[in-house]
């Protein structure tokens, strides 16, 4: 049996298991396997539940705790506490660790579930939980801690924002007052006697009897049930004065709480929780993103960019001058900072301009530029009905050329999430969620470095993010057909909704949802898509704005469940045209035959480790119509989970594919600079016997470009080939002869494989420098003929079944550029029909280290912004398809192809006598309409004249997109 | 409703503080006063809040640009959309409007002097006086759409014509200028500078361009000679000089910038004949160069439709558009060549496209950021600053033609070729053209 078929066998196993999983989920109320996310479901049925896998979470929290620990007197204590909470969802601080979950709570949950059928949860998701939940989980029960309790004082810093309380009047003291509303600390006077009489309350200590979910107190993870609140900002507080003290907090600020707490006395104590708290692997920025997604740290992050002018406002164009209210035209704004208040102050400009420009020039305003205290700010506009969305961003972050795309993306996401801008902004209870959305939006644009991981890979450059996110496409990872087929089969199985005995046939009820389609991401790359293009774009925009794709690629997600109603773009469009048609000819059925059912759509995203599956569900139509705000249904969630578990078997294969050398070989820019190549060569040659030989076959570097190139290329083309020792044997056997006995003549593939390059670079780094030059020989090693059939597929799991030789060939064959040498640096190919694009993976890029190359990539993306902006112009202006654009008589006309030649010099060139060596390269963009609409962006060395059309063809053909 | 004609550019001039309209030019149908007032008010409101409004654009390529000069005069340019993305680049390419405002202001200074504009003592009188600028301003508004096809107003590099016998003319001009008690002299052929004295080239590039525009408009008036007071916007914005212009031959004019002497009459009767009559032949041969601007010794490849060559050091430019001979017998091909006027337009658009994105804009040497802010340059986003490596060349393939731009330390060349030229050959066409011109003329 080949390894491949055994692979399939292992795949089958979870499939067999599947019904079990479902069974448990279906009968959630009879057994105690209740999904952890259930308590996070919002009143309107929405769910955003994120849980890191154990390792990640522990690391993140240890880090978080360490950060907080700086301000705490007892570091050890807080660390421990963080660990305890981490076992449960972060949002359930008063929930105990899963292991030690008290029976009472479970029972309560089960009872609650019994009250209503699992399938149609009412709108009462988890809102009332804070009060109804039994507050029995005191700290002493939480951990299995015994031993002496020592009363200690600790200081906790919290960000409080009284404005978040909204317009509603301060909560009455009977309901916990500000203590509960602002801080999130539940204190029941005379606990046990029920509601105390507030007037007759005597002064007593404030003991934390409970914590409100999602409140600052919970999020800091340091306030524990059972603690006593002693002081706020060094002001001693009691039940008597706490409300007064808290009401003095004017705006968003940080307060210091002093708490008296009981902590374990002995150092050797701690049990399981303690020992498993790893403080290793500090990953601050990882947790930063996650914490932001959890809705934490928003204030802090927002404050750190407070000085940068940026704002989003939703303004009403209908001005009611009679109304005495000031600022009543502002329907929504974010954030509140000094720089943004200045922008808010000039909202009159935005309103006037949008009104006037239409009159004067007959077009709608899309952007304007302002100079705000010496900083250029671009303002993007989006008008919908009688309201105006205004987004201001600093020019140094978002070039004007791309502002429209950025604004358009945000608008489309909001529309997908809420149906229309009006419904997104005009409902008061959306405000916190919008704040969160725009916090992520601005953070991604203004300080992306804080969000990205700092481990290893360079943080994505802003131009790159702008460009790639702005493409109407999703990043695609081409997989070998075998894996692809398996993935597709698994997805199709899921989509068929044939859940065995759980199916509707079995119970004879109408199904709740019809699966319209789903798509699957692995580490942020799309690997399978069964959604129509527009839906795919909707989903990917949502994922983009919530940073879900980088999340999955950077860390293993323990569990991610997102559920929300969506309003897919195409539906709203159809709706609009229908409305229009109805208006015009008053004919209700304009389209004979099939009619899009008037259903409701729901997006379910489930993430597990590096996989993430997005499912679009339809209610109504042939499924049961949805009523109210249905929450996520366990069956569907479990089903997706089962699918993902099934796919996990493919993890290895995909990982291998990601690690494989890039399908079209890439070169590193540094190899083309003579000096660099030479340095590297010398270093390598002197310290490695293998490489000495190699260097012997290399031409001396000469000052002209050609010579330098040859050196670099030959070196890296010929480096230590593949990590496989077995393979290298076969290499020398099969290829070596032609080179007349150079011991390890592998350099023979005329194009460089970054894989080998990476190895070499790695070696160089560890080997240190040496002095002697390699002796210079002839360039005979370049004469080896190129390998034949380009097969871009790295065969992943199939590999073992092939002979080493064959695999070797296939790995090295795809070359995009013409000529003997590989001059390709980077590429992006977008396929517009399917809405996908391919580009070298991050891993491939990190393999091509070097100092110039990252610069080059940055430059490439920046240039692509400009090129794509030029292409965009060829398309009809937004919102008015088929406008009377005069045929090619104005402007430059539609641009088909655009290229820019760049010159780069190494930085810090100190040699005064010689001019710095230079390297020139093209960045070319090409728009193709035939045979399929594509946009192709490529970056290659100047030495060979390329025809981008051909390259695009070669690439897309080879990848069989 | 659309108040402005499609495709037109309208210029509004108001006093910056009080918002009194001084004049509007450029559109057949004026904007209503209320609109003008609110356009000004928007900017003023922003200024009160510490926000300087620079410009805005619409989805149809309409644009609006504001700028205040000397805290006294506000200029607003409104280019209407309708002709989708007229600027040729979608977002961010309002270069030509910005240049227009700058030129108009300079032009007002040129005619009236800075003092009168800055002080605003008598608005009614200023309004009357400004009428004398209208002809120049209108010419600027026409931009490249005028017959001559000059690009100096956009590039701020003087349009030149390279005469076949440059040294002869140079000597003649030097002698004539000296005799006229001046160091600033210039010979214009077909509205372009054929040769000028060294001092003339030392004037600020905007001034050289503006004086060319002035001389062109004076020569269009058809008079044989004239004597005009001019303020130099950079050199002497408050003290007027005299610009003497004499027509030597139809299409050939000589200009001298001088002090109180000599009188126009003396110069005309004594100096012109004496210095220029021996050079009549040379002048005629320069005139024969015509709009090609390049001497016959330069052979251009046949596939060059149009070109603009800028000398970055001397801030001079040569532009050329091939006369297209339409062969009536020849059946029209799939890709008809763009007309001559369209070529000029494309050249301007391509220049704008390239300089706003890749090549640095030619500016007067080294401005400090402060000066830049003062001149309103910081109101523009510099996209090219975002590049970590230097752009050297670029090309565009559109539906009408192919454009190629390249820059060296000394030159910038912008080239249009027909679609029939293969893309990979563009580069060699450009480099060959560049070397052909520079070698033959030393430009």
């Amino acid at each position: 049996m080949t390894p491949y078929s055994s692979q399939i066998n292992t795949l089958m196993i979870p499939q067999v298991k599947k019904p079990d999983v479902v069974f448990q989920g279906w009968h959630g109320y009879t057994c105690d396997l209740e999904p952890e996310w259930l308590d996070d479901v919002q009143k309107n049925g929405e769910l955003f539940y994120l849980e890191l896998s154990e390792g990640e979470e522990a690391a993140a929290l240890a880090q978080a705790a360490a950060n907080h620990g700086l301000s705490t007197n007892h570091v050890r204590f807080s660390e421990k506490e963080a660990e305890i909470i981490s076992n449960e969802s972060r949002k359930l601080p008063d929930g105990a660790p899963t292991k030690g979950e008290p029976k009472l709570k479970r029972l309560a949950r089960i009872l609650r579930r019994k009250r209503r059928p699992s399938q149609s949860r009412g709108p009462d998701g988890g809102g009332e939980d804070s009060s109804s939940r039994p507050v029995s989980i005191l700290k002493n029960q939480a951990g299995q801690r015994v031993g002496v309790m020592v009363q200690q004082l600790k200081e906790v810093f919290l960000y409080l924002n009284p404005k978040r309380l909204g317009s509603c009047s301060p909560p009455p003291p009977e309901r916990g007052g500000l203590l509960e509303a602002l801080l999130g600390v539940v204190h029941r006077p005379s606990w046990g006697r029920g509601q105390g009489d507030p007037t007759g309350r005597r002064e007593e200590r404030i003991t934390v009897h409970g914590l409100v979910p999602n409140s600052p107190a919970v999020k800091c993870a340091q306030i524990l049930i059972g603690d006593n609140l002693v002081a706020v900002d060094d002001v001693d507080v009691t039940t008597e004065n706490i409300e007064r003290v808290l009401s003095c907090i004017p705006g968003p600020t940080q307060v210091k709480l002093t708490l008296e707490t009981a902590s374990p006395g002995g150092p050797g104590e701690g049990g399981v929780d303690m020992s498993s708290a790893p403080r290793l692997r500090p990953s601050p920025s990882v947790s930063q993103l996650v914490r932001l997604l959890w809705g934490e740290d928003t204030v802090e992050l927002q404050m750190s960019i407070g000085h940068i002018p940026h704002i989003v406002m939703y303004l009403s164009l209908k001005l009611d001058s009679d109304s005495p209210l000031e600022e009543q035209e502002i329907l929504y704004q974010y954030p509140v900072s000094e720089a943004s208040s200045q922008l808010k102050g000039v909202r009159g400009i935005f309103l006037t301009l949008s009104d006037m420009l239409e009159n004067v020039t007959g077009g709608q305003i899309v952007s304007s530029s302002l100079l705000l205290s010496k900083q250029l700010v671009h303002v993007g506009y989006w008008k919908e009905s009688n309201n105006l969305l205004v987004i201001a961003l600093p020019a140094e972050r978002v070039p004007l050329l791309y502002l429209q795309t950025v604004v358009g993306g945000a608008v489309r996401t909001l529309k997908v999430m809420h149906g229309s801008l009006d419904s997104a902004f005009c409902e008061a209870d959306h405000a916190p969620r919008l704040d969160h959305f725009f916090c992520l939006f601005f953070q991604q644009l203004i300080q992306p470095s804080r969000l990205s991981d700092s481990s290893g890979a360079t943080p994505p450059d802003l131009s790159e993010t702008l460009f790639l996110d702005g493409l109407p496409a999703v990043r695609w990872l081409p997989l070998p057909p075998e894996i692809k087929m398996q993935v597709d089969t698994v997805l199709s199985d899921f989509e068929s909704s044939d859940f065995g005995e759980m199916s509707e046939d079995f119970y004879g009820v109408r199904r709740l949802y019809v699966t319209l389609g789903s798509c699957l991401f692995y580490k942020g790359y799309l690997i399978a898509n069964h959604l129509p293009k527009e839906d795919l774009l909707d989903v990917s925009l949502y994922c983009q704005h919530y940073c879900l794709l980088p999340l999955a690629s950077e860390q293993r997600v323990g569990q991610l469940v997102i559920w929300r109603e969506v309003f897919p773009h195409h539906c709203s469009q159809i709706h609009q045209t229908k409305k229009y048609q109805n208006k015009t000819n008053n004919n209700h059925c304009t389209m004979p035959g099939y009619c899009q059912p008037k259903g409701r759509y729901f997006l379910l995203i489930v993430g597990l480790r590096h996989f993430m599956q997005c499912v679009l569900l339809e209610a109504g139509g042939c499924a049961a119509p949805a009523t109210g705000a249905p929450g996520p249904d366990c069956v569907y969630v479990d089903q997706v989970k089962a699918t993902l578990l099934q796919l996990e078997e493919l993890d290895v294969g995909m990982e291998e594919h990601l690690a494989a050398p890039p399908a079209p070989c890439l070169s590193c820019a540094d190899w083309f600079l003579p000096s660099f190549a030479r340095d590297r060569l010398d270093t390598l040659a002197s310290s490695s016997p293998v490489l000495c030989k190699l260097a012997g076959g290399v031409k001396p570097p000469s000052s002209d470009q050609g010579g330098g190139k040859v050196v670099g290329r030959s070196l890296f083309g010929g480096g230590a080939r593949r990590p496989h020792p077995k393979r290298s044997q076969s290499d020398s056997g099969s290829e070596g002869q032609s080179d007349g006995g150079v011991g390890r003549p592998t350099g023979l593939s005329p194009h460089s494989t970054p894989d080998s390059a990476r190895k070499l670079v790695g070696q160089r780094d560890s080997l240190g420098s040496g002095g002697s030059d390699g002796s210079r020989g002839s360039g005979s090693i370049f004469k080896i003929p190129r390998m034949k059939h380009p097969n871009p597929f790295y065969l992943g799991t199939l590999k073992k079944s092939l002979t080493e030789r064959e695999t070797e060939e296939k790995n090295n064959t795809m070359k995009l550029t013409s000529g003997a040498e590989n001059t390709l640096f980077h590429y992006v190919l977008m396929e517009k029909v399917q809405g996908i694009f391919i580009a070298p993976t991050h891993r491939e890029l990190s393999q091509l280290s070097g100092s110039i190359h990252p610069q080059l990539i940055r430059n490439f993306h920046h240039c692509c912004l400009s090129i794509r902006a030029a292409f965009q112009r060829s398309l009809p202006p937004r919102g008015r398809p088929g406008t009377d654009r005069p045929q090619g008589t104005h402007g430059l006309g539609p641009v088909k192809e655009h290229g820019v030649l760049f010159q780069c010099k190494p930085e810090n060139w100190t040699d005064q006598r010689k001019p710095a060596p230079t390297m020139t390269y093209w960045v070319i963009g090409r728009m193709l309409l035939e045979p399929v609409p594509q946009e192709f962006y490529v970056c290659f060395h100047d030495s060979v004249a390329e025809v981008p059309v051909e390259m695009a063809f070669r690439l897309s053909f080879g990848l069989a997109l | 409703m659309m108040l402005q004609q499609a495709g037109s550019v309208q210029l509004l001039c108001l006093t910056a503080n009080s918002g009194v309209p001084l004049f509007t030019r450029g559109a057949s149908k004026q904007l209503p006063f209320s609109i003008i007032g609110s356009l000004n008010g928007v900017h003023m409101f922003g200024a009160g809040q510490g926000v300087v409004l620079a410009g805005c654009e619409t989805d149809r390529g309409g644009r609006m640009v504001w700028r205040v000069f000397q805290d006294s005069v506000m200029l607003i340019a409104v280019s209407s959309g309708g002709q989708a993305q007229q600027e040729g680049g979608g977002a961010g390419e309002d270069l030509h409007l910005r240049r227009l405002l700058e030129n108009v202001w300079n032009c007002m200074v040129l005619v009236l002097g800075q003092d009168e504009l800055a002080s605003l003592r008598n608005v009614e009188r200023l309004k009357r006086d400004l009428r004398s600028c209208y002809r120049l301003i209108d010419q600027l508004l026409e931009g490249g759409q005028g017959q001559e096809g000059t690009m100096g107003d956009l590039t701020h590099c003087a349009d030149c014509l390279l005469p076949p016998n440059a040294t002869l003319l140079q000597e003649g001009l030097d002698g004539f200028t000296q005799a006229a008690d001046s160091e600033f002299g210039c010979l214009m052929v077909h509205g372009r500078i054929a040769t000028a004295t060294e001092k003339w080239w030392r004037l600020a590039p905007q001034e050289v361009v503006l004086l060319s525009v002035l001389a062109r408009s004076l020569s269009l008036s058809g008079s044989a000679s004239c004597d005009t007071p001019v303020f130099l916007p950079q050199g002497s914005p408050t003290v007027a000089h005299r610009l003497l212009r004499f027509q030597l031959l139809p299409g050939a004019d000589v200009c001298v910038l001088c002090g109180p002497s000599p009188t126009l009459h003396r110069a005309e009767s004594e100096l012109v004949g004496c210095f220029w009559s021996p050079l009549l032949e040379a002048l005629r041969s320069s005139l024969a160069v015509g709009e090609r601007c390049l001497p016959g010794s330069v052979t251009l490849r046949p596939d060059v439709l149009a070109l603009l060559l800028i000398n970055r050091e001397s801030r001079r430019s040569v532009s050329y558009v091939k006369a297209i001979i339409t062969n009536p017998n020849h059946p029209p091909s799939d890709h008809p060549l763009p007309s001559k006027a369209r070529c000029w337009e494309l050249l301007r658009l391509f220049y704008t496209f390239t300089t706003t994105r890749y090549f640095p804009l030619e500016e007067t040497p080294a401005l400090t950021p402060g000066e830049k802010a003062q001149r309103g340059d910081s109101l523009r986003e510099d996209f090219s600053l975002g590049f970590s490596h230097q752009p050297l060349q670029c090309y565009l393939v559109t539906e009408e033609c192919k454009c190629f731009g390249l820059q060296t330390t000394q030159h910038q060349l912008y080239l249009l070729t027909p679609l029939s030229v293969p893309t990979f050959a563009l580069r060699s066409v450009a480099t060959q053209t560049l070397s052909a011109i520079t070698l033959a003329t030393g430009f």
Side-chain angles (χ1 to χ4, degrees), chain B residues 44-323:
Chain B
M44 262 168 53
F45 169 68
Q49 309 268 331
V51 170
V52 182
L53 183 60
C56 60
E57 71 174 303
T58 71
D59 55 348
R60 293 186 162 194
R63 261 165 227 286
M64 222 175 268
V65 171
W66 287 258
R67 193 160 161 197
V68 177
F69 292 88
Q70 297 283 331
D71 290 329
S72 69
V73 172
M74 150 96 79
L75 287 174
I76 306 172
V78 184
S79 97
S80 66
Q83 51 171 48
Q85 280 95 7
Q86 173 210 8
E87 253 52 29
E93 295 176 15
D94 46 8
L95 176 73
H96 108 260
L97 291 185
R98 305 214 157 274
R99 283 275 154 103
L100 175 70
L101 294 191
E102 203 178 331
N103 290 335
V104 167
W105 165 255
N106 281 338
C107 164
M108 286 157 68
V109 174
L110 185 84
V111 175
L112 298 178
Q114 192 173 295
D115 285 345
E116 192 170 346
L117 291 167
S119 62
L120 285 180
R121 272 183 292 269
N122 186 337
V123 175
E124 286 309 311
R125 213 188 90 198
L126 182 64
K127 271 192 195 172
R128 262 202 317 280
D129 290 348
L130 278 171
R131 280 189 199 147
S132 50
C133 310
Y134 285 0
R135 204 165 47 151
L136 272 182
I137 292 173
D138 289 349
Q139 212 177 333
L140 288 172
L141 277 172
E142 269 174 34
Q145 286 139 31
Q147 281 301 302
E148 302 104 322
T150 51
M151 309 204 30
D153 58 317
L154 182 67
T155 59
H156 276 181
C157 296
D159 288 293
C160 293
L161 178 142
L162 304 179
N165 31 26
T167 40
L168 206 60
L169 293 173
Q170 181 77 46
E171 280 165 19
L173 179 69
D174 285 347
F176 175 74
T177 315
Q178 230 164 15
D181 289 343
S182 167
E183 286 173 313
F184 301 91
C186 149
L187 177 69
M188 311 260 306
V189 175
H190 291 305
R192 295 175 171 86
I193 299 177
T195 179
T197 60
E198 204 193 321
K199 283 273 179 171
W200 187 277
W201 288 124
R202 294 239 189 105
L203 295 171
Q206 296 100 303
E207 292 171 347
V208 176
V209 169
L210 213 55
L211 287 171
S212 306
V213 175
L214 179 64
R216 224 175 292 152
S217 85
L218 291 173
S219 90
L220 280 179
S221 67
S223 62
S225 66
C226 53
D227 180 353
T228 326
V230 291
F231 297 84
L232 297 176
Q234 320 280 310
S236 76
T238 50
V239 180
H241 291 260
R242 288 166 67 217
L243 180 74
L244 304 185
R245 184 198 65 89
F246 309 96
Q247 191 181 56
L248 304 176
L249 286 171
D253 298 76
V254 67
C255 301
V256 182
L257 209 55
C258 60
S261 66
T263 62
L264 180 68
H265 179 72
R266 190 183 82 87
E268 191 173 16
S269 55
E270 294 174 18
L271 303 176
V272 171
C274 137
F275 278 94
W276 291 104
S277 48
L279 295 171
L280 272 184
E281 270 319 300
L283 284 173
R284 287 217 173 86
S285 61
S286 311
L287 276 171
V289 169
E291 283 195 19
R292 191 168 181 255
C293 295
L294 297 166
S297 58
V298 180
T299 44
L300 290 175
R301 294 178 55 120
D303 40 17
V304 175
L305 275 183
L307 70 86
L308 165 68
L309 176 63
I310 289 175
N311 186 319
R312 299 171 70 186
E313 281 165 11
S314 61
R315 300 295 297 273
R316 286 186 250 176
S317 72
V318 177
S319 47
Y320 154 81
V321 168
K322 187 175 169 180

Side-chain angles (χ1 to χ4, degrees), chain A residues 378 866 891 897 901 921 942, chain B residues 342 358 381 389 392 395 427:
Chain A
H378 294 315
S866 160
E897 186 174 324
L901 181 77
Y921 61 91
D942 181 31
Chain B
R342 178 66 182 151
Y358 308 116
E381 172 196 331
H389 297 152
L392 293 182
Y395 71 84
R427 190 179 181 183

Side-chain angles (χ1 to χ4, degrees), chain A residues 308-500:
Chain A
I308 297 171
H310 63 279
I311 197 171
V312 53
M313 284 187 286
Y314 197 59
L315 303 171
S316 162
L317 290 172
K318 267 197 209 152
L319 288 184
D320 186 6
S321 50
D322 300 334
S323 168
L325 275 170
E326 235 175 81
E327 304 191 350
Q328 44 118 10
E329 72 269 27
I330 304 181
L331 300 173
Y332 174 80
Q333 68 150 331
Y334 183 85
V336 186
S337 68
E338 199 185 327
S340 68
S341 70
Q342 207 171 0
L343 282 165
K344 191 179 98 181
V346 295
R347 62 188 178 278
I349 293 185
F350 310 140
L351 290 169
T352 317
L353 283 181
S354 87
D355 184 42
M356 213 163 42
L357 247 70
E358 192 156 8
N359 289 341
V360 176
T361 67
Q364 287 195 357
I365 186 167
V366 289
S367 70
S368 64
S369 312
L370 319 164
L371 201 61
L372 184 77
S373 51
K374 303 224 163 127
Q375 237 182 325
L376 190 61
V377 178
H378 294 315
V379 186
Y381 299 77
W382 192 282
K383 195 175 164 184
E384 194 173 280
S385 61
N386 278 319
N387 299 318
L388 181 72
L389 176 70
V390 175
I391 297 180
L393 287 162
E396 55 183 14
R397 295 289 159 184
V398 181
L400 192 51
L401 288 171
Y402 234 58
L403 181 70
Q404 244 175 290
T405 315
V406 170
V407 174
V411 167
R412 181 161 173 185
T413 314
L414 285 172
K415 281 186 177 174
V416 167
M417 287 165 63
H418 299 283
S420 69
L421 289 186
D422 279 345
S423 60
F425 286 107
C426 297
E427 279 178 40
D429 55 339
H430 283 172
R433 259 167 289 163
L434 285 173
D435 285 359
H436 188 226
F437 177 83
F438 282 109
C439 181
L440 280 165
F441 176 77
F442 286 124
Q443 291 293 337
Q444 275 178 292
L445 289 175
I446 293 173
Q447 50 178 12
S449 53
R450 291 280 294 265
L451 294 186
S452 75
D453 71 327
S454 54
S455 52
T458 48
D461 162 55
L462 186 63
S463 297
E464 178 179 351
T465 325
L466 279 179
F467 174 62
L468 295 183
D469 287 355
L471 289 175
V474 190
R475 192 165 194 156
W476 173 263
L477 181 69
L479 287 175
E482 294 77 21
I483 296 187
K484 176 109 178 56
M485 195 195 68
Q486 289 176 10
V487 171
D488 280 337
T489 314
V490 172
L491 276 196
S492 302
D493 278 354
F494 164 76
E495 282 154 9
S496 68
S497 301
D498 186 14
F499 303 159

